[in-house]
Amino acid sequence: METAGYLPALRRESDAFRGALLGDLTARVEHCGSWTLYDLAGHLGAGHQRAVTAVTARHPGHRCPAAPRDAAALLRWFDRHTAALLAALDTDPAAPAWTFHPPHTVGFWQRRRCLETLVHRWDAQHALGVPPGPLEPELAADGIAEVFDTFAPRQIAVGRACAPACAVRFEATDTGSSWTYGPGTPAAAVTGTAGDLLLMLWGRLPAGDGGLEWKGDREAARTALRGPLVA
């Protein structure tokens, strides 16, 4: 995805996430452990704060204060940190920044915060029991690429996952994009929209979801994708 598209997409996804905060903040977020929608808002806003520090001070930052409990104050808090993030990221993507994985540039955070907000916007809407809005295909495809070029290598490097013994191929029906994760000839392949593939990789959709079509050795694929691939 072109870097110029990240900030507009981040604004759109942030606005949609904010809209969900007008709902029941005690709603459970199904795929985030015991978190409620309030907890998810705190997580996303705190992540925005840390990214600002990573860009402006070039270090990972410290533990952020808890988000306010009052609903109106929470909205103001989220708005403030979103605005600060957008301002910090509105610069040359090649500029240096602290990051937890290469490249060590502002562009890393433009992509990461955009994709983080995309997935958590889906989480927030899902938590409220309303059909989540679709994931923009090009953005979702970039999210799939991020899993394989950033998260999975990092999970392996820090010992949270093992390197796959075989390859699995992913094919997005709506973008024509494809990715191969693992060594050698793919033992299995999975086809679906970029959005569904991304949600599967992030554990939001089961691998057996009806929108995904599998071919080849499913058991080998399950082993290769056991992960966790993301964190």
Side-chain angles (χ1 to χ4, degrees):
M1 180 167 167
E2 295 293 329
T3 57
Y6 287 128
L7 294 190
L10 176 57
R11 289 188 184 94
R12 290 194 304 271
E13 294 298 330
S14 294
D15 287 346
F17 183 90
R18 186 190 191 279
L21 298 184
L22 299 173
D24 180 7
L25 295 175
T26 67
R28 178 176 172 265
V29 182
E30 180 181 354
H31 302 96
C32 295
S34 62
W35 282 3
T36 63
L37 184 53
Y38 164 81
D39 298 316
L40 184 65
H43 167 76
L44 191 61
H48 287 354
Q49 293 180 62
R50 286 190 290 270
V52 169
T53 301
V55 168
T56 60
R58 299 185 195 172
H59 67 74
H62 305 289
R63 185 176 178 84
C64 302
R69 283 282 177 182
D70 176 75
L74 178 65
L75 284 174
R76 293 192 296 271
W77 178 88
F78 183 76
D79 288 345
R80 184 169 67 253
H81 292 305
T82 300
L85 177 69
L86 287 166
L89 295 181
D90 190 11
T91 189
D92 181 2
W98 180 90
T99 70
F100 59 80
H101 191 84
H104 303 296
T105 64
V106 172
F108 175 95
W109 289 113
Q110 292 175 341
R111 182 196 202 197
R112 176 81 289 276
R113 296 318 298 169
C114 180
L115 295 172
E116 179 87 354
T117 305
L118 174 71
V119 172
H120 287 323
R121 183 271 292 170
W122 187 95
D123 285 331
Q125 293 174 335
H126 182 72
L128 294 176
V130 299
L135 277 60
E136 196 280 319
E138 184 180 4
L139 195 59
D142 193 41
I144 298 167
E146 185 195 41
V147 170
F148 298 132
D149 65 37
T150 298
F151 278 106
R154 181 170 181 261
Q155 292 291 85
I156 293 168
V158 300
R160 288 196 285 257
C162 296
C166 67
V168 181
R169 184 171 177 82
F170 296 78
E171 300 173 349
T173 55
D174 47 355
T175 65
S177 306
S178 62
W179 306 262
T180 298
Y181 176 63
T185 301
V190 56
T191 301
T193 66
D196 282 354
L197 292 172
L198 178 64
L199 291 171
M200 182 196 71
L201 289 169
W202 275 93
R204 271 57 177 178
L205 288 182
D209 182 83
L212 301 173
E213 180 182 351
W214 286 87
K215 297 178 181 179
D217 189 338
R218 287 286 300 277
E219 185 58 37
R222 278 194 289 268
T223 301
L225 301 176
R226 185 172 294 155
L229 298 181
V230 297

